[in-house]
Amino acid sequence: MKFKRGFIAMLAFLIAALGLSGYSYQSERTPTYALAEFMDGVRNHDAKKVARYADVAGLTASLYDESTAILARDIESLHAAYPDDWFFRHDTAFMKDHIARRRSDDLVFIRRAEELYLDTDIVPISRMDGNARWVADEAEVFEKHYNVRIDSVRQEGDAADATLTVMGDASDYGTLLPKLTVEVRLEAQEDGHYMVKRVTNVGEAFPPVVKAVEDYWTMKGWQ
């Protein structure tokens, strides 16, 4: 009987372990899990984790293209809203040409700043690296004053749309952007894990982000 009880206990343990293993496997292959891991990777400067759960290059390029398209389209209204910012003292044609000529270099710079942010051990080796290091350092300051909440995740087939709320604290940095809604699209990969692919409400997020940047410039005394 002792052997039998031991065998039953061992079998029960194995069934429980397999069940938990299956649950873990499934939970790790959900968009909510991917979002949480992506945000944890950003917070803890874990480049491998970020790359695992977000298409960083694709996400950066789509954000750049969509936001600069809005910038060119709305340049006149931006100039009216921020008349002291020389960058807005152009027209749509000029901005489209300027962005087209700058796109490749801008994306290289942004990606380098992202790399320096995620890997604090990288030593800047060029003037561009030095500038990118400054951006990365400022991004880290911002990160300390903001929290992100996952509000909802709507899954349909191999894709999911999530709504996040970014909230700033009561500091000078945190009040630059007190609250921002961000919507993202995630897609399932071959191994079942989800990956953040793009922000889907750039048009909605653009105005408050621009205001935050303008207020940041003022806060730093650069206007």
Side-chain angles (χ1 to χ4, degrees):
M1 288 294 295
K2 184 176 180 179
F3 170 78
K4 187 175 182 180
R5 288 197 304 272
F7 177 76
I8 292 173
M10 180 59 70
L11 184 61
F13 170 79
L14 288 172
I15 291 172
L18 288 171
L20 288 171
S21 174
Y23 175 77
S24 176
Y25 179 90
Q26 292 300 323
S27 68
E28 289 181 7
R29 284 154 177 78
T30 65
T32 302
Y33 181 87
L35 280 170
E37 289 295 279
F38 169 52
M39 291 187 292
D40 182 74
V42 171
R43 188 176 300 112
N44 291 297
H45 303 275
D46 188 335
K48 289 183 178 180
K49 182 177 285 189
V50 170
R52 171 70 162 156
Y53 292 102
D55 175 9
V56 180
L59 185 62
T60 301
S62 65
L63 277 170
Y64 180 89
D65 289 338
E66 290 187 55
S67 61
T68 53
I70 296 170
L71 170 65
R73 183 195 69 194
D74 296 344
I75 191 67
E76 290 185 7
S77 59
L78 287 166
H79 174 57
Y82 307 104
D84 294 331
D85 191 331
W86 67 268
F87 190 65
F88 297 144
R89 297 176 184 177
H90 300 289
D91 58 21
T92 296
F94 174 89
M95 291 307 301
K96 285 184 176 179
D97 179 68
H98 176 76
I99 291 163
R101 286 186 286 104
R102 289 292 313 171
R103 183 180 185 276
S104 295
D105 289 342
D106 286 349
L107 287 176
V108 168
F109 177 79
I110 296 167
R111 291 290 293 118
R112 188 56 173 168
E114 291 168 348
E115 291 171 356
L116 290 165
Y117 173 85
L118 291 171
D119 188 346
T120 55
D121 291 331
I122 297 177
V123 178
I125 58 174
S126 67
R127 180 178 179 181
M128 186 195 76
D129 272 5
N131 293 333
R133 173 79 271 169
W134 180 86
V135 171
D137 290 344
E138 279 298 287
E140 185 167 3
V141 176
F142 268 93
E143 190 276 325
K144 295 180 186 302
H145 296 287
Y146 287 85
N147 289 308
V148 182
R149 180 184 71 214
I150 301 174
D151 291 328
S152 65
V153 178
R154 302 167 299 284
Q155 188 170 348
E156 185 174 349
D158 291 334
D161 293 296
T163 300
L164 315 174
T165 297
V166 181
M167 294 166 291
D169 61 20
S171 68
D172 288 343
Y173 276 83
T175 54
L176 291 170
L177 194 61
K179 187 176 182 180
L180 179 70
T181 298
V182 179
E183 296 176 359
V184 298
R185 167 60 61 95
L186 300 95
E187 295 176 5
Q189 306 304 294
E190 290 185 359
D191 65 356
H193 282 85
Y194 277 79
M195 178 176 280
V196 179
K197 301 294 286 187
R198 60 187 291 262
V199 175
T200 57
N201 70 327
V202 176
E204 176 187 335
F206 184 82
V209 170
V210 170
K211 183 179 185 305
V213 172
E214 293 294 318
D215 290 345
Y216 168 77
W217 240 245
T218 300
M219 181 183 77
K220 290 293 188 177
W222 296 333
Q223 276 191 339

